[in-house]
Amino acid sequence: MTESAGADRDTEAVSAFVESFAAQLVEAGMQRMAARVFAALLASDKGVLTSAELSEQLRISPAAVSGAVRYLAQTHMVSREREPGSRRERYRVHGDQWYEALTNREAVLKRWETALREGVHSLGPDTPAGRRLAETLAFFEFIETEVAAMMERWREHREKTFGQG
């Protein structure tokens, strides 16, 4: 039995949660294996599992785990670390992974805003396409401002609810 299932847990219930939550993540656009690996890590008590543990729990190949972890690390949903005294890697999900993932999306929004500004300039602000791009740009600028304010409110709420994280 792996750590993620725990000695006092119903392994079938844990597995059902992992697959159900992973399906929701896939429906929202996440890659299937990445969603399953993320859900398994999220459901583990320590939030840390090795490739072998993930392979066993999810009944997938180490190569599938590797690809999923690569994607999750790139999107800042998990981090890789070495087991103390070993060359084996383990993968960790943090309590603030959603915050980190959303915060890292800000850089993407900035790049999109830059591209849209160039598009408005290139197409002309008075053309139908230029106006459409300008509206899209305004939307992203609005979202960026709102997300920044929301993230600050989240930090305050998290500290009150869960203490210093």
Side-chain angles (χ1 to χ4, degrees), residues 20-132:
S20 173
F21 189 58
Q24 294 299 313
L25 293 171
V26 169
E27 192 172 306
M30 187 181 280
Q31 297 174 359
R32 183 172 182 272
M33 280 302 146
R36 293 182 72 215
V37 166
F38 180 74
L41 284 166
L42 198 59
S44 70
D45 282 336
K46 293 180 183 177
V48 178
L49 294 170
T50 65
S51 178
E53 290 169 328
L54 286 163
S55 292
E56 178 186 337
Q57 180 181 343
L58 299 173
R59 294 180 182 94
I60 59 176
S61 72
V65 171
S66 179
V69 167
R70 184 173 31 261
Y71 170 83
L72 292 166
Q74 288 171 348
T75 58
H76 305 281
M77 299 292 286
V78 301
S79 60
R80 297 171 189 236
E81 55 189 48
R82 293 268 184 215
E83 281 189 10
S86 171
R87 291 184 356 180
R88 285 193 328 174
E89 283 190 331
R90 57 187 184 182
Y91 311 110
R92 177 180 301 277
V93 66
H94 299 278
D96 62 351
Q97 75 277 350
W98 297 110
Y99 175 87
E100 288 298 320
L102 192 54
T103 299
N104 287 305
R105 292 287 186 237
E106 287 181 57
V108 172
L109 283 178
K110 283 287 192 196
R111 289 194 305 269
W112 289 354
E113 288 172 15
T114 299
L116 287 164
R117 267 188 210 88
E118 291 171 5
V120 170
H121 178 73
S122 297
L123 297 168
D126 296 326
T127 66
R131 284 191 298 274
R132 191 169 42 253

Side-chain angles (χ1 to χ4, degrees), residues 107-161:
V108 172
L109 283 178
K110 283 287 192 196
R111 289 194 305 269
W112 289 354
E113 288 172 15
T114 299
L116 287 164
R117 267 188 210 88
E118 291 171 5
V120 170
H121 178 73
S122 297
L123 297 168
D126 296 326
T127 66
R131 284 191 298 274
R132 191 169 42 253
L133 291 182
E135 184 176 344
T136 302
L137 172 60
F139 173 76
F140 284 134
E141 289 171 338
F142 175 81
I143 292 296
E144 183 180 9
T145 301
E146 291 298 309
V147 166
M150 180 180 61
M151 296 306 262
E152 181 57 36
R153 288 192 311 273
W154 165 247
R155 283 189 292 272
E156 293 168 5
H157 175 75
R158 181 178 186 218
E159 188 170 327
K160 278 191 265 183
T161 305

